[in-house]
Amino acid sequence: MRKAARPLLTFLLGVAAIPVAAPAQDSAGYAAPFPDTLETRVFPLFAMMRTANGWAEALRRDPVLRKLAAERAARLPGDACTPTPHCLADPWLWTKADVTIVDARLRLLSKDRRLAAALAEPMRRSGRFARHAALDDPAFIAAAWTDAAAAINRVIAVYARGEAPLYSKIDAMIFDPLSPDFATVLGSHGIATATLKREGDLVFDPALRYAVGLMQMNERTDAGSYRPLLGGDNEAAVRALGTTPWQKFPYTALLVFGHGPEDAQSRTGVMGHVRMRIAAELFAQGLAPFIIVSGGNVHPNRTPFNEAVEMRRLLIEQHHIPADRILIEPHARHTTTNLRNCARLLLAAGVPADRAALIVSDDKTIRYIGAPDLAARNLREMGIQPGTIGPGPNPFSLSFIPSPVAFHVEAADPLDP
């Protein structure tokens, strides 16, 4: 018996040694049943519809949606039309009438309470639609659809039609929309998307693939990078979180935001060095057991340097902060999303939600973060307040308690939803 047990023991030890995949950046109590990709980060509703029990089949069978899918396919142009690029892009847009038809069918399907709950319950737990949480299930699902359709239209407007995004200096399309070469590329993209259908497509899928393809063509795939966020550079720090004696520290983490240099050779900018030095000093004083650095590939436009990654490297090399005490938030492109994304990371990583973190920056930026103008900008650009800001212990800091509403996905900002 002992000899027989030895191979089994060896096998079990081998299984235990296999690395477990790091979880995605989800809210507490929710684990997404689909891959953490660019598509599912920007447009989570469609992935949820495909995985919610009964929904994919109900959507495929619905005669009105089948008719709408055929009508939309018939609108698509051939290999030439005028004026470009609008005539190539516009047929992929969701018209007001299209949106209304889908809205009505979703509400009708949601009259089946069991079917509605199969979709609405995981949507609510995910936090990705938190702005609509007060609505009943049919209205909740319909509101999420309206947002998703608007998000697809926004991607098409910016990355096919050449309209200016909110931050045109860093988020605009990379092509000249009036160039004949762009019309050729856009036409080929449209024909490929229309032709390469998949068995089991839902009414949303062609336009969804068209929008995601536009982001890929424009090399604007930031939202899908550094996934899963709790793995990679964050894996060691996430493990350390589980053994941290939180009661010994006044704050849970020091939040340090990137500065966004316009010098193409600078990886963090001058002010970034000032902020890191302040954070390193406060870390040495024992104000918090971790530092979270936040910032994406932002300035200058299409920079290869990621602010969070570079700040982590410099904190380790120049300020001698242990690597397992630093977490990166590598997506934020503005102060608004610095706050929101840090709130998500704090909550997803299991940092005590009833304790404050500490925003650390230069004194001028701290005054801006604590002012009403940024709070108004949060609502204008993200539709939510990602947490509660209060006074800090010195002129270089503010306290911050994250809110679960921060998990709401603002897909109208596809580079960092």
Side-chain angles (χ1 to χ4, degrees):
M1 290 295 292
R2 289 182 181 176
K3 289 183 178 179
R6 192 169 296 169
L8 175 61
L9 177 61
T10 302
F11 170 76
L12 292 174
L13 289 173
V15 170
I18 297 173
V20 177
Q25 189 188 7
D26 286 322
S27 60
Y30 177 77
F34 43 80
D36 192 19
T37 66
L38 173 67
E39 178 182 314
T40 62
R41 290 296 297 167
V42 181
F43 305 104
L45 176 66
F46 304 126
M48 291 187 167
M49 286 180 165
R50 278 189 283 271
T51 55
N53 188 34
W55 271 88
E57 186 59 29
L59 292 168
R60 290 189 193 103
R61 287 199 317 259
D62 188 277
V64 175
L65 295 182
R66 289 167 65 93
K67 180 182 177 184
L68 177 61
E71 290 174 350
R72 285 179 54 81
R75 299 174 199 165
L76 301 179
D79 57 0
C81 65
T82 55
T84 59
H86 292 188
C87 71
L88 296 167
D90 288 356
W92 292 95
L93 294 168
W94 290 98
T95 68
K96 185 176 181 180
D98 294 342
V99 173
T100 300
I101 289 170
V102 176
D103 180 288
R105 302 313 289 178
L106 293 177
R107 290 176 185 271
L108 182 63
L109 290 171
S110 297
K111 287 185 176 181
D112 180 333
R113 292 186 179 181
R114 182 175 297 181
L115 187 64
L119 177 57
E121 192 271 337
M123 285 175 62
R124 293 183 188 279
R125 282 194 293 115
S126 77
R128 300 181 191 192
F129 312 93
R131 199 166 64 204
H132 307 304
L135 301 175
D136 63 22
D137 285 355
F140 178 66
I141 293 168
W145 151 246
T146 300
D147 285 352
I152 288 177
N153 286 357
R154 183 63 175 160
V155 171
I156 295 171
V158 173
Y159 297 115
R161 291 171 54 94
E163 295 180 14
L166 184 61
Y167 295 95
S168 57
K169 189 174 184 179
I170 56 173
D171 294 343
M173 72 186 308
I174 66 174
F175 302 100
D176 174 2
L178 300 181
S179 166
D181 290 341
F182 175 61
T184 299
V185 170
L186 192 61
S188 296
H189 172 52
I191 291 173
T193 304
T195 304
L196 299 176
K197 301 175 183 178
R198 299 175 186 173
E199 186 176 352
D201 268 354
L202 304 180
V203 65
F204 321 106
D205 285 328
L208 173 61
R209 284 197 292 272
Y210 186 77
V212 172
L214 288 173
M215 295 170 66
Q216 293 167 335
M217 289 162 49
N218 280 272
E219 298 178 0
R220 298 299 193 181
T221 58
D222 301 54
S225 61
Y226 299 97
R227 316 306 305 183
L229 190 56
L230 300 188
D233 284 345
N234 284 339
E235 188 170 357
V238 169
R239 284 199 303 268
L241 288 168
T243 58
T244 299
W246 298 103
Q247 69 280 4
K248 293 185 178 181
F249 300 91
Y251 300 95
T252 58
L254 307 177
L255 313 182
V256 186
F257 303 161
H259 181 236
E262 288 302 334
D263 178 356
Q265 296 184 44
S266 177
R267 300 186 178 204
T268 62
V270 174
M271 197 65 78
H273 288 282
V274 174
R275 296 172 184 177
M276 284 185 283
R277 189 172 74 248
I278 295 169
E281 178 61 29
L282 297 184
F283 181 84
Q285 292 176 15
L287 264 68
F290 294 93
I291 297 175
I292 297 179
V293 285
S294 172
N297 294 65
V298 188
H299 293 274
N301 186 26
R302 301 181 69 203
T303 176
F305 301 125
N306 182 275
E307 290 177 353
V309 170
E310 296 301 329
M311 286 192 289
R312 178 183 185 271
R313 178 180 62 83
L314 292 175
L315 284 171
I316 295 169
E317 293 178 0
Q318 297 183 359
H319 299 281
H320 312 295
I321 306 296
D324 67 352
R325 297 291 144 175
I326 307 171
L327 294 110
I328 65 168
E329 185 296 294
H331 296 104
R333 306 178 67 76
H334 318 290
T335 308
T336 53
T337 51
N338 283 131
L339 288 169
R340 184 201 65 191
N341 295 0
C342 282
R344 291 175 176 175
L345 183 53
L346 287 163
L347 295 170
V351 174
D354 59 344
R355 300 277 306 280
L358 198 64
I359 303 167
V360 175
S361 194
D362 57 278
D363 58 325
K364 181 178 179 180
T365 302
I366 284 296
R367 290 194 296 272
Y368 167 67
I369 292 173
D373 284 354
L374 181 60
R377 182 180 163 196
N378 289 338
L379 292 177
R380 186 170 63 251
E381 297 181 11
M382 302 185 299
I384 53 106
Q385 294 292 357
T388 302
I389 294 176
N394 54 54
F396 309 108
S397 63
L398 291 164
S399 66
F400 179 69
I401 298 178
S403 168
V405 76
F407 284 104
H408 181 87
V409 170
E410 183 47 71
D413 184 9
L415 273 67
D416 180 27

